[in-house]
Amino acid sequence: MSAGADAGSGAVAAEWSRQGSPAKDGFVPSVLGTREHWDAVYERELQAFQEYGDTGEIWFGEESMKRLVRWMHKHKIPLDASVLDIGTGNGVFLVELAKFGFSNITGIDYSPSAIQLSGSIIEKEGLSNIKLEVEDFLNLSTKLSGFHICIDKGTFDAISLNPDNAVEKRRQYVKSLSRVLEVKGFFLITSCNWTKEELLNEFSEGFELFEELPTPTFSFGGRSGNSVASLVFQKT
Ligand SMILES: C[S@@+](CC[C@H](N)C(=O)[O-])C[C@H]1O[C@@H](n2cnc3c(N)ncnc32)[C@H](O)[C@@H]1O
């Protein structure tokens, strides 16, 4: 799975997707699960943005953003619904939401460089009403709560690769999600590391599957499947 496209390939793909055999309860730990890695990524991307105006990677590609916005439109999510983008990275999805008309959006990321980059991109786009916070989702410091919609595009994947007790970190993720999302609120997750069945298992407590969003399929060697899972859960 590539960072840049739903069904792509490439150097990042080999590193990013399931690395060899999964460990007993998760994946082989990787630098991709560490804050140091993301700090370095977004420091580089910030510099590229400042020098060349390059906004950097759109994880899972443009279509992954459009898919989520289409779902929100189809389900008549009000434009003033509060939306939280968990691990917003360069914040490009926030820009997409704001351009669509959503007016109550917040992006968090534990990398200060990511938040700085998001702020610069948002400013360049001339958008002003997007909230940004440096926040570790596993250790929330502020009173973030009551969101109608939470979005995750690749963040749970990254957390699942953390070399330091990823199982516990995944549990903490579910706790934080329960804390910030209101009852009946929706959680939209896009993942290349977890299958639909695995995600159903990870989010079995306090969440139920609302809808599975169609993602591109691949076929290889007589087998076919999806390289990306995109699911909508509702908090019970
Ligand atoms: C694969 S990138 C995806 C970025 C963005 N969601 C996108 O779709 O372009 C994973 C992001 O999660 C962030 N992240 C990882 N662990 C986090 C945590 N515990 N709290 C907040 N952000 C985290 C990283 O800094 C990075 O921006």
Side-chain angles (χ1 to χ4, degrees):
M1 175 58 225
S2 129
D6 262 332
S9 59
V12 184
E15 239 195 319
W16 176 250
S17 59
R18 290 177 187 255
Q19 307 186 8
S21 322
K24 187 166 164 280
D25 188 13
F27 303 101
V28 176
S30 159
V31 67
L32 292 161
T34 67
R35 183 187 295 201
E36 291 73 25
H37 170 79
W38 294 108
D39 278 339
V41 166
Y42 290 111
E43 268 160 37
R44 265 197 322 269
E45 293 204 354
L46 182 59
Q47 204 174 342
F49 181 71
Q50 285 162 348
E51 286 178 22
Y52 314 111
D54 178 2
T55 52
E57 290 288 352
I58 296 175
W59 287 83
F60 308 115
E62 292 269 350
E63 175 54 24
S64 71
M65 301 195 292
K66 295 198 185 328
R67 181 191 300 137
L68 301 177
V69 174
R70 267 199 308 271
W71 183 88
M72 289 163 82
H73 181 57
K74 180 177 139 198
H75 289 275
K76 300 189 171 46
I77 303 297
L79 290 176
D80 63 354
S82 52
V83 182
L84 177 68
D85 188 20
I86 303 165
T88 196
N90 58 15
V92 168
F93 186 58
L94 299 170
V95 170
E96 189 82 6
L97 289 171
K99 285 187 173 168
F100 192 80
F102 285 96
S103 59
N104 188 0
I105 44 189
T106 303
I108 60 165
D109 203 290
Y110 67 0
S111 165
S113 308
I115 292 300
Q116 206 185 329
L117 174 60
S118 302
S120 305
I121 293 173
I122 287 166
E123 193 185 340
K124 188 175 173 197
E125 292 285 343
L127 300 163
S128 53
N129 58 349
I130 298 176
K131 288 167 256 163
L132 290 171
E133 303 275 353
V134 176
E135 278 284 344
D136 182 347
F137 192 63
L138 305 183
N139 189 16
L140 291 169
S141 64
T142 58
K143 294 271 172 260
L144 286 177
S145 64
F147 285 94
H148 298 120
I149 306 274
C150 288
I151 312 266
D152 180 317
K153 215 156 58 64
T155 303
F156 186 68
D157 282 350
I159 286 170
S160 305
L161 296 172
N162 193 295
D164 178 23
N165 200 349
V167 175
E168 183 49 37
K169 292 207 159 45
R170 276 158 34 209
R171 274 197 207 109
Q172 183 54 48
Y173 183 102
V174 178
K175 273 194 201 159
S176 294
L177 182 64
S178 299
R179 184 184 131 182
V180 298
L181 189 61
E182 68 168 16
V183 173
K184 299 283 172 210
F186 295 106
F187 171 53
L188 284 67
I189 180 166
T190 306
S191 167
C192 64
N193 269 348
W194 298 94
T195 62
K196 173 188 172 186
E197 287 66 31
E198 288 166 339
L199 288 171
L200 287 175
N201 187 42
E202 290 292 310
F203 295 95
S204 59
E205 277 178 35
F207 301 90
E208 62 188 23
L209 182 66
F210 185 83
E211 194 169 336
E212 178 181 9
L213 305 185
T215 57
T217 52
F218 69 89
S219 52
F220 184 75
R223 295 183 62 195
S224 64
N226 297 65
S227 53
V228 173
S230 189
L231 303 183
V232 180
F233 286 92
Q234 187 166 32
K235 185 172 160 184
T236 53

